Amino acid sequence: MGKKKTETKDEKFSIFPILALENIVLTPMIPQPVKIDNEEQRDYIDKCYSSNNEVFFATVDNREQELKEENIKEIGCVCVIDRVLQMPGAPSLAFVRPICRAKFEGLVYSPSFPMAKVTPLKNIETPKRKSAEFNLMMDRLDSLFKMVMNFMADPEKMTAEKLVGENSHTPVEHIYSIIHVSPLSWEEKYHIIESNTFKDLIGAAILILDESEQKIRIQASIHERTHHELSQQQKEAFLRMHLKMIKDELGETEDNDEVAELMAKSANKVWTKDAKENFEKEVQKLRRLNINNPEYSIQLAYLETLLELPWNNYNNKKLSLDKVEEILNRDHYGLEKVKERILEYMAVLKLRNDMKAPILCLYGPPGVGKTSIGKSVAEAVGREYARISLGGMHDEAEIRGHRKTYIGAMPGRFLHTLSKLKYGNPLILLDEIDKVGKDYKGDPSSALLEALDPEQNNTFHDNFIDFPYDLSRVLFIATANDLSTIPGPLRDRMEIIEMAGYTLDEKREIALRHLVDKVLQENGLKKGEVQFMPSTIEFIIRNYTNEKGVRQLEKALGRISRKLALMKVRTKKVPSEITDRHVNEFLGKKDNYLNSVGFH
């Protein structure tokens, strides 16, 4: 069962018997006893000892009955077994002497004993030149070790000092001997022995000893604070209080129902890396808060907001230009240049294939269909749709959100909208972007710059969640009546598509195809119950509307429909066809009508 060497083209391996120790890490260069309480392992050690074999000692976390490669830690020690001590009724002790660290490469089939393929690693060497930094770090290590020993009982302290003195022939051995006798967990020791250079070794040792000293100091502080309350009658209460203080210091208070519910929801959430780390950190803060603390509800609302946001959840429907064109033609008559511009941007969006969306601004007078085009585009590209009205908005917090520490704090309108839609790439219509206000509460148009800049909106900062959120996949379409009132920097971040208005022929076709049936049904009349002739529609347009859009035309048709509804209720019948005479009768004189709808 001797050691074997194999060579490949690029690597050299050695094959050793392997002994897996559960939650135990051997310290390189330091002779040490290993407790063997497993009968199978005891027989294995005896055979290796009697055969004078070197053995690879590896660490496993919660050893299963069968040794598996994935459970074995990568770094272990190749050791010589100097002696095996067996006491009746007690675990055996194997006194081992580590020769070198080694990297585990895999298990090798053996009919009798577990064997491992390993790569021996060179022992760490002390720097030949002792710099000022070297001396300072060694002094710091010794200082931390002394502070740790101050918390040891006298017999343990004397044993630790003796072992360190006997094994500190070189600075590297000195570091390993300190780590060997210090009260560290096996994970902390393993982290140190992974180091491959002297600088990494002493750096890891100092860091972990510093953390260990702080933990011991906290435990001593807890003991000191509670010691005076100890009495025979208070023993049970003392133990519970002691346990609570330890959990509070470690941030491991038991979950209440609300925290448990948050954790259950988060398990099914598709997070980004940063969002998941932040959520877990904030959950720890919530666990440390008393449920009656006013900050508890603030922290709970914050975590619920993080859970509601669609971090990595996107609507992945394929974009079809034919469908976009079909829906735009179905819902909107005319506007050929506008449709062509929109199709151009949709084609770019499809070719880029990264869903980074352009920022479009539909500019034109009221009633030309800017808002309805945005809704049609959302249907055409298969995305969720939301409308945010910016008219009169004057508080910057509406865009960026409030700091979560404020009472009643909420995220900004963008993140609030995404929380409701449940997808991170909807179409959001920013209505009346030219009517954004400004006062002492801030300038919302400045906050919009970051959201609408394709170069920045992948890291949009909302004050409520307080770390970047990706808005780059949202398709923003803004509407405006007057470009002159939009700040220049904001206007430069948008692609302007002008909607100048409709011709008489286009207005007539829009009325016949869309408006007539719509207003009749809105006013309780059946579709097709009343006919409007094209000439009658033209008569209304020429004589009763004075606009570039069709809003006043829709109002005129609505007024006529209400007159017809009144007629139907009173007489049980309505004219089958509306003529110019009916229009004059229902709408009154031209000038009076225009005055009533705001034209002078």
Side-chain angles (χ1 to χ4, degrees), residues 359 399 414 447-454 456-457 460 471 476:
I359 313 299
I399 303 298
F414 291 146
L448 284 169
L449 292 177
E450 184 182 359
L452 300 186
D453 188 341
Q456 298 182 54
N457 61 8
F460 176 73
L471 291 178
F476 289 105

Side-chain angles (χ1 to χ4, degrees), residues 457-504:
N457 61 8
N458 61 330
T459 55
F460 176 73
H461 187 89
D462 187 285
N463 292 327
F464 186 77
I465 66 170
D466 201 26
F467 64 96
Y469 188 90
D470 186 2
L471 291 178
S472 64
R473 298 196 180 194
V474 178
L475 178 54
F476 289 105
I477 295 182
T479 69
N481 301 132
D482 185 2
L483 293 180
S484 65
T485 60
I486 304 176
L490 181 58
R491 189 168 61 245
D492 290 342
R493 283 163 171 78
M494 300 185 293
E495 298 290 341
I496 307 297
I497 299 178
E498 184 176 1
M499 298 178 66
Y502 298 106
T503 65
L504 186 145

Side-chain angles (χ1 to χ4, degrees), residues 17-21 26 34 36 45 55-59 75-81 94 96:
I18 180 173
L19 186 68
L21 303 174
L26 296 190
V34 177
I36 308 295
I45 282 286
V55 179
F56 175 64
F57 283 83
T59 302
I75 304 299
C77 286
V78 175
C79 301
V80 172
I81 303 173
V96 302

Side-chain angles (χ1 to χ4, degrees), residues 535-536 539-540 543-544 560 567 574-589:
S535 58
T536 304
F539 179 79
I540 297 172
N543 294 281
Y544 288 92
I560 293 171
M567 183 183 295
V574 292
S576 59
E577 182 179 310
I578 302 300
T579 64
D580 297 353
R581 181 180 61 80
H582 290 115
V583 172
N584 286 331
E585 180 183 343
F586 293 151
L587 298 182
K589 293 183 178 180

Side-chain angles (χ1 to χ4, degrees), residues 325-577:
E325 187 173 14
E326 176 189 341
I327 291 177
L328 288 177
N329 287 332
R330 181 198 70 189
D331 294 345
H332 301 276
Y333 181 81
L335 303 176
E336 300 304 328
K337 291 184 178 180
V338 174
K339 293 176 186 176
E340 185 177 356
R341 290 282 300 277
I342 292 174
L343 285 172
E344 289 170 1
Y345 283 109
M346 295 301 107
V348 172
L349 197 63
K350 184 177 179 67
L351 290 175
R352 286 177 62 97
N353 204 31
D354 62 356
M355 299 303 287
K356 188 173 183 180
I359 313 299
L360 306 180
C361 179
L362 303 177
Y363 153 65
V368 294
K370 300 184 295 296
T371 302
S372 59
I373 275 195
K375 194 169 185 179
S376 296
V377 172
E379 181 187 351
V381 297
R383 298 201 196 182
E384 283 64 30
Y385 169 80
R387 173 181 169 272
I388 297 178
S389 178
L390 301 178
M393 183 183 290
H394 52 78
D395 187 354
E396 186 177 337
E398 291 277 345
I399 303 298
R400 288 197 179 277
H402 307 84
R403 297 286 180 190
K404 68 172 180 176
T405 51
Y406 298 156
I407 295 174
M410 293 179 62
R413 295 282 289 278
F414 291 146
L415 265 59
H416 181 70
T417 299
L418 292 176
S419 297
K420 289 185 173 182
L421 296 178
K422 304 300 183 185
Y423 288 99
N425 59 339
L427 186 149
I428 295 181
L429 183 76
L430 304 177
D431 212 4
E432 298 181 327
I433 198 170
D434 55 326
K435 297 180 179 62
V436 175
K438 179 180 179 182
D439 65 7
Y440 68 94
K441 294 182 181 178
D443 182 5
S445 62
S446 297
L448 284 169
L449 292 177
E450 184 182 359
L452 300 186
D453 188 341
E455 301 302 322
Q456 298 182 54
N457 61 8
N458 61 330
T459 55
F460 176 73
H461 187 89
D462 187 285
N463 292 327
F464 186 77
I465 66 170
D466 201 26
F467 64 96
Y469 188 90
D470 186 2
L471 291 178
S472 64
R473 298 196 180 194
V474 178
L475 178 54
F476 289 105
I477 295 182
T479 69
N481 301 132
D482 185 2
L483 293 180
S484 65
T485 60
I486 304 176
L490 181 58
R491 189 168 61 245
D492 290 342
R493 283 163 171 78
M494 300 185 293
E495 298 290 341
I496 307 297
I497 299 178
E498 184 176 1
M499 298 178 66
Y502 298 106
T503 65
L504 186 145
D505 291 340
E506 288 174 337
K507 288 181 182 181
R508 182 190 65 232
E509 290 301 319
I510 291 170
L512 292 172
R513 296 185 184 201
H514 303 290
L515 300 182
V516 169
D517 289 339
K518 175 186 174 185
V519 296
L520 288 176
Q521 291 182 44
E522 285 177 351
N523 290 286
L525 300 171
K526 295 178 181 179
K527 183 178 179 180
E529 188 174 358
V530 178
Q531 298 292 329
F532 283 79
M533 299 303 292
S535 58
T536 304
I537 298 295
E538 285 190 19
F539 179 79
I540 297 172
I541 295 170
R542 292 180 184 276
N543 294 281
Y544 288 92
T545 66
N546 184 15
E547 57 170 348
K548 295 183 178 180
V550 292
R551 188 169 295 165
Q552 299 306 325
L553 174 58
E554 185 175 357
K555 285 185 177 181
L557 292 172
R559 190 162 172 179
I560 293 171
S561 298
R562 287 190 291 276
K563 293 287 186 181
L564 292 171
L566 178 61
M567 183 183 295
K568 184 175 181 179
V569 171
R570 284 178 173 175
T571 66
K572 307 299 182 184
K573 61 181 181 179
V574 292
S576 59
E577 182 179 310

Side-chain angles (χ1 to χ4, degrees), residues 66-213:
E66 182 183 354
L67 189 62
K68 296 180 181 178
E69 287 187 358
E70 58 267 22
N71 295 336
I72 299 173
K73 295 293 181 182
E74 190 176 59
I75 304 299
C77 286
V78 175
C79 301
V80 172
I81 303 173
D82 288 333
R83 185 158 57 100
V84 177
L85 181 63
Q86 293 183 345
M87 299 290 291
S92 298
L93 284 178
F95 292 87
V96 302
R97 180 166 34 90
I99 300 172
C100 66
R101 295 182 310 129
K103 180 181 178 183
F104 174 70
E105 303 288 355
L107 293 174
V108 178
Y109 173 74
S110 172
S112 304
F113 306 100
M115 305 290 284
K117 181 169 62 174
V118 304
T119 302
L121 303 174
K122 291 182 179 180
N123 287 328
I124 296 173
E125 296 181 358
T126 305
K128 295 179 180 178
R129 183 181 175 185
K130 308 294 191 299
S131 64
E133 182 184 11
F134 172 90
N135 294 326
L136 287 171
M137 294 185 81
M138 292 299 294
D139 290 344
R140 176 60 177 160
L141 181 69
D142 289 335
S143 174
L144 286 169
F145 180 54
K146 288 178 182 177
M147 286 190 281
V148 169
M149 284 199 302
N150 287 336
F151 295 100
M152 294 181 180
D154 287 342
E156 293 176 344
K157 186 175 180 180
M158 292 175 61
T159 302
E161 288 178 333
K162 182 181 178 182
L163 285 172
V164 171
E166 290 176 351
N167 294 294
S168 298
H169 305 299
T170 67
V172 174
E173 290 178 335
H174 183 64
I175 295 170
Y176 280 136
S177 60
I178 286 176
I179 296 307
H180 179 66
V181 300
S182 296
L184 304 177
S185 67
W186 72 268
E187 292 97 335
E188 292 170 328
K189 287 186 177 180
Y190 182 78
H191 179 66
I192 294 171
I193 74 159
E194 281 185 304
S195 305
N196 292 316
T197 65
F198 182 84
K199 187 174 182 180
D200 290 343
L201 175 65
I202 192 169
I206 288 173
L207 178 64
I208 288 176
L209 266 184
D210 189 20
E211 291 176 352
S212 178
E213 190 271 337

